[in-house]
Amino acid sequence: CIWWIVGQHKHPLAAFMSKEANEQYEGLPHWTTMERSDGPGSPSWEWAEQPVFTAYALCFYWTLGVMRTMPSEVLPANILERVYVMVLMFVALSLFAISIAQVTQ
């Protein structure tokens, strides 16, 4: 899932980035590494610590959620994640508009 890759604190293209750019990217907050809690008194956890199945289920849920509205459980935490969300929402809106146009013709 691309949303999972975008949220990693280690950039997938780190080998092609300068050391300074890589350190700057790692210093940004990421949705996979932000501390979360299930409620008051519950221990904190991060999405990066969750099992692979849980991560894929969340990414699938998130992708479906972006196509209707923005899911409130997971929000972008830095500019790169926000740009990815905007592009994905534009693609989803465009696909929806094209499908409606095809049905009405």
Side-chain angles (χ1 to χ4, degrees), residues 47-60:
W47 279 112
E49 300 169 347
Q50 299 300 309
V52 174
F53 177 78
T54 304
Y56 275 101
L58 170 78
C59 287
F60 187 67

Side-chain angles (χ1 to χ4, degrees), residues 75-90:
L75 298 173
N78 63 50
I79 189 66
L80 296 173
E81 293 173 2
R82 287 184 183 99
V83 169
Y84 176 76
V85 170
M86 288 188 300
V87 168
L88 187 64
M89 291 179 91
F90 179 76

Side-chain angles (χ1 to χ4, degrees), residues 15-35:
F16 304 107
M17 295 170 60
S18 68
K19 183 178 179 182
E20 294 81 24
N22 199 17
E23 289 173 355
Q24 182 182 7
Y25 182 81
E26 289 178 5
L28 294 173
H30 300 280
W31 74 266
T32 57
T33 57
M34 294 179 70
E35 286 194 3

